[in-house]
Amino acid sequence: MRISGKELSLKLKAELKEKVALLKKEAGRAPQLTVILVGNNPASVSYVTGKAKACEAVGIDNRTIRLDASTEEASLLGLIADLNADETVDGILVQLPLPPHIDENRVIDAIAKEKDVDGFHPLNVAALWQHRPCTVPCTPKGIIKLLKEAGEDIAGKRAVVVGRSNIVGLPVAKLLLDENATVTIAHSRTRNLGEVTREADILVVAVGRPGTITADMVKPGAVVIDVGVNRNSTTGKLCGDVDTEAVEAVARCITPVPGGVGPMTIACLMENTVEAFEAKLPR
Ligand code: GUN
């Protein structure tokens, strides 16, 4: 069985649309998301376009600021400072990766934590790891929603996360732990990866390498979440990190690529933007 992130994202966006309409009445304006794109990395351009479309579908005011790849770090930091001070801006997202001459950490640190709809600011990350109120990063948040949609009772299960990135691996491991899974994080230096992944009732794969998980590495009946977005070098088609067709025969369910995690990341970005707006309302 395939878990459709596309369908679930449509459901979430429909709910958010209703909520935004109510909030607009209450506050006199809609939530606002500003996305900054530096340069024109094709994958980033496509993500940013998807985010703008989702904002329109939900009724979130949005603006994409496109900057030249040669933009200096200081001017990007200046722009972020202006957006932080602008009360009509509720969410700020700087699309990553940034050109190599810009220090990503300095940029993330510059975003006001209340407007950090990615949940990448160190204060949001620390808050997540300490059970404090925070912005939950979009992809991990979407993954938990997908697992629940698949009817997975996470508590007590063995979860294996392959990949240890700041954006996906580490935060999704923490969210799975918060759902009372027993969590293992595997990575490029893990010995005998298949031995580890075969233990998983819930397998989350986020490494960015096609064919990382083959059918023999999956426990029969497992739920498999494929976070990878890769382009097949021969067909040019998008593919994940998992051999979807072979693994589908072994797993209870699996997320497809495209149409799995990707649309949920965007829907959760919409949710985070609405939450950032709501947090500002006098109630
Ligand atoms: N690049 C790839 N994924 C992401 C994401 O979730 N947020 C941002 N800002 N950049 C990304």
Side-chain angles (χ1 to χ4, degrees):
M1 190 183 85
R2 294 196 180 195
I3 319 166
S4 173
K6 181 93 208 277
E7 260 172 49
L8 184 57
S9 74
L10 287 172
K11 204 158 84 181
L12 180 55
K13 285 189 285 184
E15 287 165 12
L16 287 169
K17 186 179 179 180
E18 282 182 22
K19 192 168 190 182
V20 166
L22 291 175
L23 287 170
K24 202 170 168 180
K25 277 194 194 135
E26 183 184 339
R29 71 170 180 89
Q32 206 278 359
L33 173 66
T34 297
V35 174
I36 302 172
L37 172 63
V38 186
N40 41 31
N41 172 320
S44 293
V45 171
S46 147
Y47 290 143
V48 163
T49 309
K51 286 164 186 173
K53 274 193 194 149
C55 283
E56 272 152 38
V58 169
I60 293 175
D61 287 339
N62 69 96
R63 174 170 52 145
T64 300
I65 301 176
R66 292 191 67 160
L67 302 175
D68 196 84
S70 64
T71 302
E72 297 215 5
E73 182 181 291
S75 66
L76 177 56
L77 294 177
L79 171 61
I80 292 170
D82 291 345
L83 295 171
N84 284 341
D86 184 342
E87 285 194 6
T88 67
V89 173
D90 304 301
I92 302 170
L93 182 145
V94 179
Q95 186 64 34
L96 303 177
L98 289 166
H101 67 280
I102 299 178
D103 183 334
E104 256 171 34
N105 283 342
R106 234 179 261 152
V107 171
I108 290 167
D109 293 358
I111 299 170
K113 75 175 198 306
E114 296 77 11
K115 299 191 181 191
D116 167 36
V117 284
D118 264 327
F120 292 171
H121 191 285
L123 289 173
N124 275 321
V125 177
L128 176 73
W129 285 88
Q130 293 187 348
H131 299 278
R132 301 188 199 209
C134 65
T135 306
V136 178
C138 306
T139 302
K141 194 181 198 183
I143 290 171
I144 299 295
K145 288 184 197 284
L146 282 164
L147 288 170
K148 291 186 174 171
E149 178 70 10
E152 189 67 7
D153 185 9
I154 303 170
K157 296 277 171 67
R158 291 292 302 266
V160 174
V161 177
V162 187
R164 51 180 159 178
S165 68
N166 288 340
I167 297 186
V168 185
L170 294 181
V172 80
K174 170 60 175 153
L175 295 186
L176 287 163
L177 189 58
D178 288 348
E179 297 285 340
N180 299 307
T182 300
V183 183
T184 300
I185 304 177
H187 45 78
S188 53
R189 301 285 293 272
T190 297
R191 285 194 201 141
N192 203 344
L193 180 62
E195 207 170 85
V196 178
T197 57
R198 269 191 301 277
E199 291 282 308
D201 302 304
I202 297 165
L203 180 59
V204 179
V205 192
V207 291
R209 190 166 53 88
T212 300
I213 301 295
T214 48
D216 59 304
M217 297 167 82
V218 176
K219 178 175 175 174
V223 178
V224 180
I225 306 288
D226 189 353
V227 189
V229 183
N230 311 295
R231 212 162 270 286
N232 183 305
S233 51
T234 41
T235 64
K237 282 191 184 160
L238 281 186
C239 67
D241 293 343
V242 178
D243 273 352
T244 312
E245 271 159 35
V247 167
E248 203 172 14
V250 181
R252 177 171 78 77
C253 45
I254 183 167
T255 57
V257 178
V261 173
M264 286 307 294
T265 295
I266 295 187
C268 290
L269 173 65
M270 300 300 107
E271 186 173 76
N272 283 354
T273 305
V274 172
E275 285 173 4
F277 180 61
E278 273 187 297
K280 284 161 83 175
L281 296 179
R283 284 183 171 165

